[in-house]
Amino acid sequence: MLQMKKATLALAAVSMFGATVAHAADLVLGLAMAKTGPYVSLANTNEIAVDMAVEEINKAGGVNGKQIKVVKFDTGGDPKQATLAVRRFAEDDKALAIVGPFSSSEVKVSFPVGERLGIPQMAMSSSAPGLGKGFSFGFRNTTDEGRVVNEVLSSIKEKGLPHATGAIAYATDDTVSKSMGTAVFPKLFGEYKIPVKGEVDFQYKAFDLSPQVSRLVAIKPDVIGVGAPPEAAINLAKEMKRQGVQARLIGGTTIADPDLPQRMDGAGETMTIGTTFFKDYDDKAKKFSAEFSSRAKAAGLTRTVPNQMDAASYDIVYLYAEAMRNGKVGAAADKLADERKVIRDELVKLKDFPALEGGITFDADGDAVKPIYVLEVKKGEWTLLDRRVPKQ
C-alpha cells in the first residue's frame, strides 16, 4: 500500500512537472469570450476567429520559436465574470495577455483589475467613449463610437443624403447604447447642424416599441440616431415600417451584425452604419470570410458570416504576436511581469499595422484607429457606401 502511494505521488509529481514545462514553452494568451448571455448573437463566433489566427501563426512557425496557446473563459457578458477571467488568466494560467473582454460594461470593471495585475487586455467590441483612458495595460481593437458615427454622418453629408432634421432612439440599460443616446448623437448632431426634434428610449429587451415609434411618427425626422444592440434595432425598424416612418436609421458598431438586414424581414431599408470590417472589401477579407464560414457551418452555428468583432478578435491575436515578436518575448516563467510590460510597450509602438481590417494604430487612450466601412441596407443586404480612414 505504501509503495502504491509513493508511486502515485511520484506520478503526480511527474505530471505536474510535465504540465509546467509544457506551459512554460508556450506563449499563453487568455480569451475572455461571451459565448452566452446578452451579446451571444455577436460574440459566439469570436472563438472561431481566434482559433484561426492561432493556427495560422503556429503553422508558420509560431513567434520567436514558440507556439501560441489559448486558454478560454466564457464570461457570459457579465462584468463580474469578466473580472474573474482576468484574475484567472493572470494568476492561475500565467497568461502573457488577454483577448477580450467583449462589452463596454465588462471593460469598465476588468480594465482596472488588469491594470493592478499588470496584464495587457484588448477588447474586441467595447466602443463606449473614453473607457481606455488612464489604463496603460488596457487596449481596445475597436473604434470609439464617436469616431464611427462622425464618419457615417460625414459620408451622408458628402453624398447629399437627407439629414435636415434628426431624432434619437436608444436603450437605457446597455452601457454603450446609453452613451450613444445621451452623448454621442447629441454632440455630433449639433456639430453637423442637425436639429434634434425629439428622442425616445427603451430597454434593449423590450419587444413592443409602438409607443416610442408613435412619437417618431409625429416628429418626422430625416435621420434617427440609434444606440441599441441588434435585437432592439430590429424591433425598432420593424415597428417603424408598420407605422410608416420613412426616416433613415443611422448607427455605429453596436448594430454591425452581418445578418441584420435579413433578420429585419424587409424593414430597415437605407439603414446606415459604421463598422470596421466588410467581408467583400478585398481578397484578404474574402479569404478570411470563406474559411470562417466553413468553420462556423461545421460547428452548426446559425450565423456563418463573420462580423467586425470576429475580424477584431482575429487581428488581436496577430497584434499580440507582432508585439511579442518585436519585443523578443520568450515565455520565461521568471520574467512574466516584465514580458507583459514589453507586450504593452510594443503595442503602443505599432503604426499602421497591416491587419485584416486595415492599417491599425493605437491612440493615446489605447483605442485602435483604423478604417471605417460605411454600410447601407439595400434590398435586404449590406452594401458598401463608403470607406473612410479617421485621423488620430
Side-chain angles (χ1 to χ4, degrees):
M1 189 70 176
L2 183 59
Q3 293 280 6
M4 186 178 295
K5 285 184 178 179
K6 286 181 178 179
T8 302
L9 288 171
L11 181 61
V14 169
S15 298
M16 289 174 65
F17 179 77
T20 302
V21 171
H23 189 274
D26 295 321
L27 299 166
V28 180
L29 297 178
L31 170 57
M33 53 190 178
K35 290 192 70 173
T36 57
Y39 310 107
V40 66
S41 68
L42 294 173
N44 69 338
T45 52
N46 299 164
E47 182 183 16
I48 291 176
V50 168
D51 289 343
M52 284 175 59
V54 171
E55 288 175 24
E56 290 170 6
I57 293 168
N58 286 343
K59 187 176 180 180
V63 178
N64 301 328
K66 307 279 186 178
Q67 295 282 285
I68 295 176
K69 175 185 174 182
V70 178
V71 291
K72 302 172 182 179
F73 189 109
D74 180 10
T75 69
D78 182 345
K80 291 181 181 178
Q81 293 300 311
T83 62
L84 289 177
V86 175
R87 291 192 181 97
R88 198 198 83 176
F89 293 145
E91 298 173 345
D92 299 337
D93 297 312
K94 309 302 181 186
L96 288 160
I98 299 171
V99 180
F102 185 84
S103 69
S104 290
S105 56
E106 293 174 281
V107 162
K108 284 178 70 175
V109 296
S110 73
F111 271 21
V113 175
E115 192 73 14
R116 289 194 296 272
L117 294 173
I119 185 169
Q121 298 177 76
M122 193 180 300
M124 71 284 281
S125 178
S126 166
S127 55
L131 292 188
K133 190 176 182 63
F135 297 108
S136 68
F137 284 93
F139 296 85
R140 300 192 297 176
N141 187 23
T142 56
T143 299
D144 184 307
E145 290 292 351
R147 281 180 170 158
V148 174
V149 174
N150 179 67
E151 298 302 333
V152 172
L153 289 172
S154 181
S155 184
I156 286 174
K157 180 180 179 181
E158 288 181 9
K159 294 181 180 299
L161 301 175
H163 61 284
T165 61
I168 300 171
Y170 67 97
T172 58
D173 52 345
D174 174 65
T175 298
V176 65
S177 300
K178 185 175 181 180
S179 173
M180 291 181 72
T182 60
V184 173
F185 280 117
K187 178 177 181 291
L188 289 173
F189 277 4
E191 291 179 3
Y192 281 86
K193 296 181 171 40
I194 303 173
V196 178
K197 297 298 184 181
E199 63 178 48
V200 298
D201 59 55
F202 46 84
Q203 293 191 332
Y204 75 83
K205 290 184 179 179
F207 183 77
D208 182 12
L209 297 179
S210 54
Q212 287 87 345
V213 174
S214 293
R215 291 172 59 189
L216 296 175
V217 171
I219 296 170
K220 296 181 180 179
D222 290 318
V223 293
I224 300 173
V226 182
E231 286 71 21
I234 290 169
N235 290 338
L236 179 65
K238 287 182 176 179
E239 185 60 30
M240 284 174 57
K241 182 181 179 182
R242 190 183 75 81
Q243 294 194 34
V245 180
Q246 300 296 317
R248 178 186 297 266
L249 292 171
I250 62 173
T253 64
T254 65
I255 51 178
D257 185 338
D259 293 339
L260 199 74
Q262 291 83 8
R263 294 168 65 196
M264 290 190 293
D265 296 327
E269 282 290 300
T270 74
M271 175 186 280
T272 306
I273 68 165
T275 180
T276 55
F277 177 70
F278 182 56
K279 67 181 183 65
D280 294 324
Y281 180 70
D282 58 16
D283 289 341
K284 190 174 183 179
K286 290 176 183 177
K287 181 180 178 181
F288 166 80
S289 298
E291 176 62 20
F292 177 95
S293 295
S294 176
R295 294 184 182 220
K297 288 175 183 176
L301 298 178
T302 302
R303 178 172 59 78
T304 60
V305 178
N307 62 22
Q308 69 159 34
M309 293 82 174
D310 299 317
S313 299
Y314 177 90
D315 279 341
I316 288 171
V317 178
Y318 272 94
L319 286 161
Y320 279 145
E322 184 70 4
M324 291 189 290
R325 186 176 293 112
N326 292 344
K328 296 179 174 54
V329 170
D334 59 341
K335 296 181 180 178
L336 182 60
D338 290 336
E339 293 197 321
R340 288 171 175 170
K341 291 177 182 176
V342 167
I343 293 171
R344 174 198 65 185
D345 295 343
E346 291 297 333
L347 286 171
V348 173
K349 295 177 186 177
L350 294 178
K351 302 298 179 187
D352 205 28
F353 178 75
L356 172 66
E357 303 162 276
I360 294 177
T361 301
F362 292 101
D363 67 13
D365 292 334
D367 289 345
V369 179
K370 53 187 176 180
I372 303 299
Y373 301 84
V374 181
L375 307 183
E376 180 184 37
V377 176
K378 284 187 178 180
K379 298 180 180 179
E381 298 287 342
W382 286 122
T383 60
L384 185 63
L385 181 67
D386 203 358
R387 182 181 186 271
R388 308 177 69 86
V389 181
K391 296 179 180 179
Q392 288 198 62

